C-alpha cells in the first residue's frame, strides 16, 4: 500500500533546496525550451510546489499574460506565493490535479513536473488537463520512472529493499512508461518525449542525489517497518553511501521523462 509523502513545511524546505541544485535547474531550462512560453499566454502550473518554474514562466508570459499555480499542499503554496509576490500576473490557489476548477479551454499551456506520479486517478487528471486547454494548447508532463535508477551500493540487496520501500511514496513510481498512451487516449497528440537525467557519477554535496538520499533516509526510517527494514538498517544504508563518497566510489543516476503534447 502506498504511503505518500507529506508536503509539510519541512518537506517544502528540503524540496526547495533540492530543486535549486544544478540537475533540477537544468530540468527547468529543458522544460522551458520544450514549452516555449510566449508573452501574453495563460499558463497553468499544476503542483506548483516552491514556485521555481512558475517564477520563470510568469516572467516569460509577462504582465499581459497569466500564470496560475495550483497545489494541494498549503505549505508549498506559502513558499510559491512568497516567490511570486512581485508578479501581478501570477496567482496561486489550492486545488487537486484530478479536479481542476477552471472552465473548458481556459489556458494556452498547462505544465506539471513531478506531480502526476502522486495522483491516484491519473487518467482523470489527464482528461482534466485536456479539458482546461484551448484547442491547440500545449501540455508538458514530467515524471520519474524509479525503475531507471542505477545507484551503486556495497550491499545490493539492502539497496533494493530501501528502494522498494521508497517506491511507496508515489501512487505510480513507473508512470512515464504508460504516460504517452494515456495522453493519446485522452485526445492529445504527443509531439516530443525527452529524458531528463538526475546524474551524479561522483559525489557532489550540492546535488539532487545528495538531497534525495536524505529524503529517502527520512522516509524509510518512518515507513521501513512495513517492508521489514529497521531504522538501523536504513542508517547503515545511508552511512554506506557516505563511505563510498569518501572513497570516490559514489555513483547515482535516475531518469525523469518529459512529454510535450498538444490538444
Ligand atoms: C515533487 S513536488 C514538485 C513541485 C514542482 N512541480 C516542481 O517541479 O518544482 C510535487 C508537488 O505536487 C503537489 N501535489 C501532489 N499531489 C497533488 C495533487 N493531487 N494535486 C495538486 N498538487 C499535488 C505537492 O503538494 C507538491 O507541491
Amino acid at each position: 500500500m502506498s504511503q505518500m509523502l507529506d508536503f509539510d513545511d519541512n518537506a517544502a524546505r528540503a524540496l526547495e533546496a533540492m530543486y535549486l541544485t544544478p540537475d533540477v535547474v537544468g530540468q527547468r531550462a529543458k522544460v522551458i525550451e520544450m514549452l516555449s512560453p510566449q508573452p501574453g499566454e495563460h499558463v497553468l502550473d499544476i503542483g506548483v510546489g516552491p514556485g521555481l518554474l512558475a517564477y520563470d514562466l510568469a516572467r516569460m508570459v509577462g504582465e499581459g499574460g497569466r500564470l496560475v499555480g495550483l497545489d494541494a499542499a498549503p505549505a508549498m503554496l506559502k513558499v510559491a506565493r512568497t516567490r511570486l509576490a512581485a508578479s501581478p500576473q501570477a496567482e496561486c490557489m489550492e486545488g487537486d490535479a484530478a479536479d481542476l476548477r477552471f472552465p473548458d479551454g481556459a489556458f494556452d499551456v498547462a505544465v506539471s513536473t513531478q506531480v502526476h506520479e502522486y495522483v491516484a486517478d491519473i487518467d482523470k487528471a489527464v482528461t482534466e488537463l485536456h479539458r482546461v486547454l484551448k484547442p491547440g494548447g500545449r501540455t508538458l508532463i514530467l515524471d520519474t520512472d524509479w525503475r531507471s535508477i542505477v545507484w551503486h551500493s556495497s550491499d545490493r540487496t539492502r539497496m533494493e529493499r530501501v528502494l522498494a520501500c521508497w517506491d511507496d511514496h508515489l501512487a505510480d513510481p513507473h508512470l512515464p512508461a504508460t504516460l504517452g498512451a494515456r495522453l493519446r487516449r485522452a485526445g492529445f497528440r504527443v509531439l516530443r518525449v525527452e529524458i531528463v537525467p538526475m546524474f551524479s557519477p561522483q559525489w557532489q554535496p550540492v546535488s539532487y542525489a545528495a538531497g534525495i538520499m536524505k529524503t529517502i533516509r527520512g522516509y524509510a526510517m518512518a515507513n521501513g517497518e512495513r517492508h521489514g527494514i529497521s531504522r538501523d538498517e536504513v542508517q547503515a544504508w545511508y552511512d554506506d553511501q557516505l563511505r563510498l563518497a569518501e572513497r570516490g566510489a559514489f555513483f547515482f543516476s535516475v531518469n525523469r521523462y518529459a512529454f510535450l503534447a498538444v490538444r
Side-chain angles (χ1 to χ4, degrees):
M1 198 185 66
S2 157
Q3 179 64 46
M4 280 192 253
L5 276 188
D6 194 7
F7 288 102
D8 56 12
D9 287 324
N10 284 339
R13 268 192 297 278
L15 196 80
E16 188 178 31
M18 215 177 343
Y19 281 16
L20 285 165
T21 60
D23 282 322
V24 190
V25 171
Q27 169 189 304
R28 281 193 293 282
K30 182 77 180 171
V31 166
I32 284 169
E33 179 266 311
M34 289 175 79
L35 268 178
S36 182
Q38 298 299 312
E41 285 192 317
H42 289 200
V43 177
L44 174 63
D45 185 348
I46 301 169
V48 65
L52 292 158
L53 177 64
Y55 180 85
D56 290 342
L57 293 170
R59 206 172 31 82
M60 297 182 86
V61 300
E63 291 194 16
R66 183 178 180 223
L67 181 287
V68 178
L70 184 99
D71 207 286
M76 302 305 291
L77 284 167
K78 200 164 65 184
V79 181
R81 284 192 178 114
T82 304
R83 178 158 279 114
L84 293 164
S87 304
Q89 67 274 35
E91 64 179 307
C92 291
M93 53 182 76
E94 198 169 329
D96 184 349
D99 184 17
L100 300 175
R101 303 284 171 93
F102 303 103
D104 296 358
F107 295 97
D108 302 288
V109 173
V111 63
S112 196
T113 60
Q114 291 290 117
V115 178
H116 283 80
E117 58 197 21
Y118 291 95
V119 176
D121 194 344
I122 177 72
D123 288 323
K124 181 147 188 280
V126 172
T127 302
E128 278 289 87
L129 253 179
H130 190 267
R131 182 184 65 72
V132 301
L133 280 175
K134 295 176 183 162
R138 287 114 59 215
T139 191
L140 187 145
I141 306 184
L142 175 145
D143 284 288
T144 304
D145 191 328
W146 284 94
R147 254 185 313 232
S148 68
I149 195 158
V150 181
W151 196 351
H152 180 53
S153 164
S154 309
D155 185 335
R156 200 181 173 84
T157 308
R158 184 177 61 204
M159 172 64 91
E160 280 166 8
R161 291 170 65 229
V162 169
L163 289 176
C165 169
W166 176 239
D167 270 355
D168 277 2
H169 89 286
L170 295 169
D172 185 350
H174 312 302
L175 177 58
T178 60
L179 190 53
R182 290 176 193 271
L183 284 163
R184 283 186 283 271
R185 265 205 309 276
F188 283 106
R189 196 154 49 88
V190 177
L191 300 180
R192 258 174 91 183
V193 185
E194 297 279 339
I195 293 177
V196 181
M198 302 289 113
F199 185 37
S200 290
Q202 57 188 2
W203 176 250
Q204 293 149 331
V206 180
S207 63
Y208 172 80
I212 203 69
M213 217 168 97
K214 286 201 194 103
T215 302
I216 294 176
R217 178 180 59 171
Y219 181 86
M221 288 269 186
N223 298 284
E225 232 168 67
R226 283 183 293 118
H227 289 263
I229 308 171
S230 69
R231 293 170 69 88
D232 286 350
E233 266 181 291
V234 175
Q235 189 59 46
W237 165 84
Y238 187 84
D239 291 343
D240 177 49
Q241 289 303 314
L242 296 182
R243 267 195 306 276
L244 289 171
E246 269 168 28
R247 295 209 310 262
F250 182 86
F251 185 96
F252 174 96
S253 171
V254 71
N255 289 335
R256 296 175 170 186
Y257 298 82
F259 290 75
L260 176 68
V262 65
R263 183 190 158 161

